[in-house]
Amino acid sequence: MTQPVHVLLDSSAMLAAGHGNPLASRLIHRAQSEPGWFLYATTCALVEADRQRPGTGEHLAALPGITFLDLDLPTALVLARSGTWASAHTLHAAQPSPDRPDGTVIATTTPEAWKEHPVRTLDLNP
């Protein structure tokens, strides 16, 4: 049995998905059609993507296969000490958890934004 694949879209990946990025589209397709593939998006990153391109939030919310991670109290307390909520929520969600013991891979079109953090990234640039 293969290990499950957990991928987390950051706000740049959400914007890319809304613009027909083929790599983002493949991730979305795999999450809805292949067992063991899981795709996540944080609500704070969704808000940021929608602020940059209105309509992105509704578009992504309508897609099957994406699990949206809510802003719960423990996460809010972590975010309160951070500069930007979108990246902080994504960074927090990428860390290992009981549901995702190895954490998640962050899908992004801005991999340089994550270089200083202890996370794995998947560059969605062609």
Side-chain angles (χ1 to χ4, degrees):
M1 180 175 182
T2 61
Q3 292 285 355
V5 177
H6 298 279
V7 180
L8 178 63
L9 299 172
D10 74 357
S11 59
S12 73
M14 293 181 203
L15 291 168
H19 256 136
N21 177 295
L23 297 174
S25 295
R26 247 183 247 145
L27 284 175
I28 293 165
H29 173 73
R30 282 190 161 182
Q32 63 188 348
S33 64
E34 292 186 32
W37 278 79
F38 302 93
L39 189 58
Y40 306 93
T42 64
T43 54
C44 290
L46 183 70
V47 168
E48 179 62 28
D50 198 72
R51 283 182 178 165
Q52 291 181 31
R53 186 177 308 121
T56 300
E58 289 86 0
H59 172 73
L60 289 172
L63 296 174
I66 301 176
T67 301
F68 292 93
L69 304 175
D70 293 330
L71 181 59
D72 58 10
L73 180 58
T75 305
L77 294 173
V78 169
L79 300 186
R81 295 181 290 259
S82 302
T84 65
W85 283 33
S87 60
H89 195 183
T90 300
L91 180 61
H92 180 72
Q95 302 308 308
S97 69
D99 294 340
R100 299 174 297 277
D102 294 325
T104 65
V105 175
I106 298 175
T108 183
T109 61
T110 58
E112 63 280 356
W114 300 104
K115 291 254 186 251
E116 295 181 21
H117 302 286
V119 294
R120 297 169 292 153
T121 59
L122 174 61
D123 188 347
L124 297 182
N125 289 300

Coordinates of all heavy atoms in Angstrom, one line a residue, residues 9 19 27 35 37 39-40 43-44 46 48 61 72 84 88 91 96 99 102 105 108 116 120-121:
L9 N -2.8 23.8 -0.7 CA -2.7 24.9 -1.6 C -2.5 26.2 -0.8 O -3.2 26.5 0.1 CB -4.0 25.1 -2.4 CG -4.5 23.9 -3.3 CD1 -5.9 24.2 -3.8 CD2 -3.5 23.7 -4.4
H19 N -6.8 30.3 -12.7 CA -6.3 30.7 -14.1 C -6.0 29.6 -15.0 O -5.3 29.7 -16.0 CB -5.1 31.6 -13.9 CG -5.4 33.1 -14.1 ND1 -4.9 34.0 -13.3 CD2 -6.2 33.7 -15.1 CE1 -5.4 35.2 -13.7 NE2 -6.1 35.0 -14.8
L27 N -3.6 18.4 -9.7 CA -3.7 18.2 -8.2 C -5.2 18.0 -7.9 O -5.6 17.1 -7.1 CB -3.1 19.3 -7.4 CG -1.6 19.3 -7.3 CD1 -1.1 20.5 -6.6 CD2 -1.1 18.0 -6.6
P35 N -7.6 7.4 -5.0 CA -7.5 7.1 -3.5 C -6.1 7.5 -3.0 O -5.1 7.3 -3.7 CB -7.8 5.6 -3.4 CG -8.4 5.3 -4.7 CD -7.9 6.3 -5.8
W37 N -5.0 10.5 -2.3 CA -4.6 11.8 -2.6 C -5.5 12.8 -1.9 O -6.7 12.7 -2.1 CB -4.6 12.1 -4.1 CG -3.4 11.7 -4.9 CD1 -3.1 10.4 -5.2 CD2 -2.3 12.4 -5.3 NE1 -1.9 10.3 -5.8 CE2 -1.4 11.6 -5.9 CE3 -2.0 13.8 -5.2 CZ2 -0.1 12.0 -6.4 CZ3 -0.8 14.2 -5.7 CH2 0.1 13.3 -6.3
L39 N -6.2 16.9 -0.9 CA -5.9 18.3 -1.2 C -6.6 19.2 -0.2 O -7.8 19.1 0.1 CB -6.3 18.6 -2.6 CG -5.9 20.0 -3.2 CD1 -4.4 20.1 -3.2 CD2 -6.5 20.1 -4.6
Y40 N -5.9 20.2 0.4 CA -6.4 21.0 1.4 C -6.2 22.5 1.0 O -5.3 22.8 0.3 CB -5.7 20.8 2.7 CG -5.7 19.4 3.2 CD1 -4.6 18.5 2.9 CD2 -6.7 18.9 3.9 CE1 -4.6 17.2 3.3 CE2 -6.8 17.5 4.3 CZ -5.7 16.7 4.0 OH -5.7 15.4 4.4
T43 N -8.7 28.5 5.2 CA -9.7 29.5 5.0 C -9.0 30.9 4.9 O -9.4 31.7 4.1 CB -10.7 29.5 6.1 OG1 -10.1 29.6 7.4 CG2 -11.6 28.3 6.0
C44 N -7.9 31.1 5.6 CA -7.2 32.4 5.6 C -6.6 32.6 4.2 O -6.6 33.7 3.6 CB -6.2 32.5 6.7 SG -6.9 32.7 8.3
L46 N -7.6 31.2 1.5 CA -8.7 31.4 0.5 C -9.2 32.9 0.5 O -9.5 33.4 -0.5 CB -9.9 30.5 0.9 CG -11.1 30.5 0.0 CD1 -10.8 29.8 -1.3 CD2 -12.3 29.8 0.7
E48 N -7.4 35.5 1.2 CA -6.3 36.3 0.6 C -6.4 36.1 -0.9 O -6.3 37.1 -1.7 CB -4.9 35.8 1.1 CG -3.8 36.6 0.4 CD -3.8 38.1 0.7 OE1 -4.3 38.5 1.8 OE2 -3.3 38.8 -0.1
A61 N -14.4 26.8 -3.7 CA -15.4 26.1 -2.8 C -16.3 25.2 -3.6 O -16.8 24.2 -3.0 CB -16.2 27.2 -2.1
D72 N -9.7 27.5 13.7 CA -10.1 27.2 15.0 C -9.3 28.0 16.0 O -8.4 28.7 15.7 CB -10.0 25.7 15.3 CG -8.6 25.1 15.1 OD1 -7.6 26.0 15.0 OD2 -8.4 23.9 15.1
T84 N 1.2 37.9 8.4 CA 0.1 37.7 7.5 C -0.7 36.4 7.8 O -0.1 35.4 8.0 CB 0.6 37.6 6.0 OG1 1.4 36.4 5.9 CG2 1.4 38.8 5.6
A88 N 0.6 32.4 7.5 CA 0.7 31.7 8.8 C -0.3 30.6 9.0 O 0.1 29.5 9.5 CB 0.4 32.8 9.9
L91 N 1.2 27.7 6.8 CA 2.4 27.2 7.5 C 1.9 26.3 8.7 O 2.4 25.2 8.9 CB 3.3 28.3 8.0 CG 4.6 27.9 8.7 CD1 5.4 27.0 7.8 CD2 5.3 29.1 9.2
P96 N 3.1 18.6 10.9 CA 2.5 17.3 11.3 C 1.4 17.4 12.3 O 1.4 18.3 13.1 CB 3.7 16.6 11.9 CG 4.9 17.2 11.2 CD 4.5 18.7 11.1
D99 N -3.9 13.7 12.0 CA -4.4 13.3 10.7 C -3.4 13.2 9.6 O -3.6 12.5 8.6 CB -5.5 14.3 10.2 CG -6.7 14.3 11.1 OD1 -6.9 13.3 11.9 OD2 -7.5 15.3 11.1
D102 N 3.0 13.2 8.7 CA 4.2 13.7 8.0 C 4.0 15.2 7.5 O 4.8 15.7 6.8 CB 4.6 12.9 6.8 CG 5.0 11.5 7.2 OD1 5.7 11.3 8.2 OD2 4.7 10.5 6.5
V105 N 2.6 18.8 1.9 CA 3.4 19.6 1.0 C 2.6 20.8 0.6 O 1.4 20.7 0.3 CB 3.7 18.7 -0.3 CG1 4.5 19.5 -1.3 CG2 4.4 17.4 0.1
T108 N 2.5 25.7 -4.5 CA 2.7 27.1 -4.6 C 3.3 27.6 -5.9 O 4.0 26.8 -6.6 CB 3.6 27.6 -3.4 OG1 3.7 29.0 -3.5 CG2 5.0 27.0 -3.5
E116 N 12.5 29.9 3.9 CA 12.9 30.1 5.3 C 12.2 29.2 6.3 O 12.4 29.3 7.5 CB 12.9 31.5 5.7 CG 13.8 32.4 4.9 CD 13.7 33.9 5.4 OE1 13.3 34.1 6.5 OE2 14.1 34.7 4.6
R120 N 7.9 21.3 3.1 CA 8.2 20.8 1.7 C 7.3 21.6 0.8 O 6.1 21.9 1.1 CB 7.9 19.3 1.6 CG 8.8 18.5 2.5 CD 8.3 17.1 2.6 NE 7.1 17.0 3.4 CZ 6.1 16.1 3.3 NH1 6.3 15.1 2.4 NH2 5.1 16.2 4.0
T121 N 7.8 21.9 -0.4 CA 6.9 22.7 -1.4 C 6.9 21.9 -2.7 O 7.8 21.1 -3.0 CB 7.5 24.1 -1.6 OG1 8.8 24.0 -2.1 CG2 7.4 24.9 -0.4

